[in-house]
Amino acid sequence: MREQRVMEWDGFTLRSSLKPRFAQARDRLADAARDGDWAAVADVLGERPEWVNCPRLESRSGYTPLHQAAWHGAGTATVEGLLAHGALRTLRTNHGERAADIAARRGHHHLAALLRPVVRHPVPPAEIPVLQGHLHRLIRHRAGLEDGSDLATQHALRLPEVAALTELAHPVCWFPVPGMYGGFRITLDGRELAVDSWIRVIGGSERTDRVTPWGARLQEGEALP
């Protein structure tokens, strides 16, 4: 049986969190998308397909390549290529716009059908931000440091969005956390999330916690404070 693809949620936003060569490659991707150089975008994504949903490092707009394609009114073949790489239609910019919203605002009606979000695993809309809030609390708790801070905040990571899981054929994402030597495998399970996490350098660190609309429940059975 063919193993189903798991989306990687790349949460890096700070240049200082990446090795220079990776930061430079991210810059090339962002510059190419900004300039509408879709051949250059394809070249970078050919090597790093997990960056398809990444905005520019330290971005003020939060535009991903798909948002830029919507802004430019790129051809349908270009947009289809980004979607084939795993571009998410549900992602919003820092101003709350999805790619479909940007295309509509700029009059690029030929992209309307392609960019319309497709929800494969419905969750009541009012519950999505609630689940997301509990998930983010759990991530910060699990990635916590002895001084009371946490690795997600320390690196200003862009944390996974629950809406993104609703549009995936296989509603699972992997979220690596720098300094944790591991990360989180997040699975949308109906109206709940199963959150597997581990730290590779610590034996027996694997655990599964649950996130529901009513809060995060730790593997031990207690609620996350």
Side-chain angles (χ1 to χ4, degrees), residues 84 110 155 191 203:
H110 66 289
H155 289 275
R191 295 168 59 195

Side-chain angles (χ1 to χ4, degrees), residues 94-117:
N94 293 344
H95 301 292
E97 288 187 303
R98 301 166 302 180
D101 303 323
I102 295 168
R105 172 167 58 81
R106 291 185 55 81
H108 301 314
H109 304 301
H110 66 289
L111 295 177
L114 264 180
L115 294 177
R116 187 176 300 117

Side-chain angles (χ1 to χ4, degrees), residues 19 23 38 62 66 74 88 95 104 112 114 129 136 169 182-183 202 216-217 219:
K19 293 181 179 179
W38 306 118
L66 190 65
L88 295 166
H95 301 292
L114 264 180
H136 292 180
I202 300 178
R217 185 158 295 280
Q219 180 172 277

Side-chain angles (χ1 to χ4, degrees), residues 152-215:
T153 301
Q154 190 176 89
H155 289 275
L157 297 180
R158 184 175 58 120
L159 301 183
E161 297 181 12
V162 173
L165 293 170
T166 68
E167 73 170 288
L168 298 175
H170 183 45
V172 181
C173 78
W174 164 246
F175 176 51
V177 175
M180 190 173 170
Y181 303 102
F184 300 83
R185 180 185 170 98
I186 303 162
T187 303
L188 179 62
D189 181 17
R191 295 168 59 195
E192 300 183 0
L193 300 169
V195 185
D196 301 306
S197 61
W198 56 87
I199 303 169
R200 292 191 181 97
V201 296
I202 300 178
S205 66
E206 302 87 354
R207 59 181 295 123
T208 300
D209 303 306
R210 302 282 301 186
V211 173
T212 76
W214 301 276

Side-chain angles (χ1 to χ4, degrees), residues 127-138 140 162 211:
E127 292 183 6
I128 289 177
V130 177
L131 282 172
Q132 187 163 295
H134 295 320
L135 171 64
H136 292 180
R137 279 200 312 120
L138 176 62
R140 292 190 176 99
V162 173
V211 173

